[in-house]
């Protein structure tokens, strides 16, 4: 059975040093196992480019906070699509699903006067039901996911239009929902969460390294583990420091702190990473994505796995819709339509998730979401017209898909 790219490759029994780890990594890159390398290279290049073109604004405290807020909904939507893409399927209705769920939340809030937790639950259930319907049609009725989700892409927009009305707008004024994308947590809480995440990440990596040593399995050398912990700590603590700086446009007010939506995205990404890398379910997803027939012969319930990934994707789409409603303070009939889906699919693929299935990680949604957001944000600062944003984002997506296709050909040629 072909097992997809995951952490299973760590089960190798030979000692590794930093030099041998570097040689192994270079050998994997030459064989086509690029991982997150293209997206990291692209992200760094874009940051350098836009910083050079707009040195006074692009890396300002206010714009960095804007980047995080703008990236939230794209990242969450892309995170759900990673599960679907891992099976080699597609969900073209994810964007409009987010719009329907946001409309359900807003209508219950405004027309029925329901509290925020009831409306959030209703939106999540709506997403779950839509995902179950898609999964049923794809996995049981055996209709191609492209056809099912294309039909829902059109149909769900009609539901949103029916709920809100043509030309209408439903305001979102609940303090909890609005705070998700518009308010910031206290400085002390941001530092506490950043420190806690750093300690937990360091402990998990070191414990994993020790378990491998105790069992005679050889993974990464200790120096590499420490270096990875240092990079993650620098990113978390550095980001918290930048968010703690005052970014108010006027000296009369103080605006600082990490946006509340950032830890929400972090929790979702950590949960998805755990599910995909550390659970039997995650291994089954990779197995079905690598070879569905072999997975079925191995006793994996392929139908359940197929249904479940669409349910996860649609539920996360509901979360993305609520985040967008919070950021915009309203829901309109075109919520989730337009380029929303394309940006999310682009984020997942640019991050490193394969369109052919069996290859991808939760972190791809974060990296790809940042790349897409940096492009949109940077071109906006340059005053570029909308068509230019579409052309460049489409070109980056095409480049990422080409790299993925070439990498798979290289892997097949080298027998990996």
């Amino acid at each position: 059975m072909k097992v997809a790219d995951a952490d299973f490759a760590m089960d190798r029994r030979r000692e590794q040093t930093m030099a041998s780890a570097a040689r192994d990594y270079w050998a994997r890159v030459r064989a086509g196992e690029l991982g997150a390398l293209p997206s990291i290279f692209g992200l760094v290049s874009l940051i350098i480019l836009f910083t050079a073109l707009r040195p006074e604004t692009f890396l300002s405290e206010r714009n960095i906070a804007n980047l995080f807020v703008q990236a939230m909904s794209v990242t969450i939507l892309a995170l759900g699509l990673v599960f679907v893409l891992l099976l080699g399927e597609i969900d073209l209705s994810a964007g409009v699903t987010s719009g329907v769920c946001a409309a359900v939340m807003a209508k219950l809030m405004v027309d029925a006067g329901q509290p925020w937790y009831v409306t959030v639950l209703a939106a999540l259930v709506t997403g779950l039901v839509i995902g179950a319907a898609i999964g049923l049609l794809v996995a049981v009725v055996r209709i191609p996911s492209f056809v099912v989700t294309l039909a829902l892409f059109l149909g769900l927009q009609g539901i949103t239009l029916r709920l809100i009305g043509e030309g209408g707008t439903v305001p979102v004024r609940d303090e909890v929902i609005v705070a998700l994308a518009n308010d910031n947590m206290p400085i002390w809480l941001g530092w506490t969460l950043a420190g806690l995440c750093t300690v937990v990440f360091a402990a998990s990596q070191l414990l994993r390294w020790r378990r491998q040593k105790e069992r005679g399995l050889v993974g990464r050398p200790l120096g590499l583990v420490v270096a990875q912990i240092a990079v993650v700590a620098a990113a978390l603590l550095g980001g918290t420091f930048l968010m703690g700086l005052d970014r108010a446009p006027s000296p009369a007010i103080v605006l600082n702190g990490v946006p509340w939506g950032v830890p929400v995205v972090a929790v979702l990404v950590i949960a998805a990473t755990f599910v995909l890398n550390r659970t039997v379910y995650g291994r089954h997803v990779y197995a079905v994505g690598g070879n569905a027939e072999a997975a079925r012969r191995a006793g994996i319930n392929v139908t359940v796995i197929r249904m479940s990934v669409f349910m996860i994707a649609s539920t996360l789409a509901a979360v993305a819709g609520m985040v967008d409603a919070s950021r915009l303070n309203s829901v309109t009939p075109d919520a989730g339509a337009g380029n929303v889906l394309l940006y999310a699919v682009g984020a997942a693929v640019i991050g490193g998730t394969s369109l052919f299935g069996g290859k991808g990680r939760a972190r791809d949604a974060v990296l790809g979401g940042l790349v897409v957001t940096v492009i949109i944000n940077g071109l906006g600062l340059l005053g570029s017209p909308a068509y230019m944003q579409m052309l460049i984002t489409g070109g980056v997506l095409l480049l990422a898909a080409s790299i993925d296709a070439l990498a798979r050909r290289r892997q097949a040629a080298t027998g990996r």
Side-chain angles (χ1 to χ4, degrees), residues 130-331:
I130 292 173
I134 297 172
L136 189 69
L137 292 170
V138 173
V140 178
V141 185
R142 302 293 181 89
I143 303 174
S145 58
F146 177 84
V147 177
V148 173
T149 56
L150 179 60
L152 285 177
F153 173 78
L154 299 172
L156 291 176
Q157 290 183 77
I159 293 177
T160 306
L161 185 60
R162 175 68 181 83
L163 286 173
I164 297 179
E166 193 168 351
T169 299
V170 181
V172 176
R173 297 197 177 97
D174 183 272
E175 291 183 356
V176 175
I177 301 298
V178 171
L180 186 61
N182 294 287
D183 287 348
N184 307 303
M185 63 176 64
I187 299 294
W188 65 267
L189 184 56
W191 280 110
T192 302
L193 289 178
L196 184 63
C197 290
T198 302
V199 171
V200 170
F201 178 76
S204 67
Q205 295 300 306
L206 291 172
L207 285 174
R208 180 183 174 190
W209 175 83
R210 193 180 71 174
R211 282 199 299 268
Q212 288 173 336
K213 293 287 288 185
E214 289 175 348
R215 295 173 184 174
L217 300 173
V218 179
R220 298 162 296 174
L222 181 59
L224 183 58
V225 173
V226 173
Q228 288 180 323
I229 293 173
V231 169
V232 171
L236 288 173
L237 300 178
T240 304
F241 172 76
L242 288 173
M243 292 297 96
L245 299 176
D246 185 15
R247 52 182 181 273
S250 168
I253 58 174
V254 176
L255 180 63
N256 56 14
V258 178
W260 281 105
V262 172
V264 173
V265 176
V267 167
L268 292 174
V269 172
I270 291 171
T273 300
F274 178 80
V275 168
L276 287 176
N277 292 347
R278 300 296 179 193
T279 66
V280 173
Y281 171 79
R283 297 192 177 205
H284 286 181
V285 170
Y286 281 110
V288 174
N291 189 322
E293 178 58 23
R296 187 187 65 78
R297 290 175 183 271
I300 297 174
N301 192 329
V302 176
T303 301
V304 170
I305 295 294
R306 278 212 171 100
M307 284 190 64
S308 66
V309 295
F310 286 104
M311 294 168 71
I312 292 172
S314 294
T315 304
L316 287 174
V319 179
M322 289 185 281
V323 170
D324 254 345
S326 169
R327 184 170 64 88
L328 301 172
N329 290 342
S330 64
V331 181

Side-chain angles (χ1 to χ4, degrees), residues 91-140:
D91 185 355
L92 299 177
S93 64
V96 292
T97 296
S98 72
V100 169
C101 296
V104 169
M105 179 194 72
K107 290 293 284 184
L108 284 175
M109 199 175 289
V110 174
D111 293 353
Q114 294 297 316
W116 69 269
Y117 47 86
V118 173
T119 63
V120 167
L121 182 61
L124 292 175
V125 171
T126 302
L128 189 66
V129 170
I130 292 173
I134 297 172
L136 189 69
L137 292 170
V138 173
V140 178

Side-chain angles (χ1 to χ4, degrees), residues 328-353:
L328 301 172
N329 290 342
S330 64
V331 181
T332 58
D334 62 349
N339 296 324
V340 174
L341 172 71
L342 299 180
Y343 287 151
V345 173
V349 175
I350 290 169
T353 300

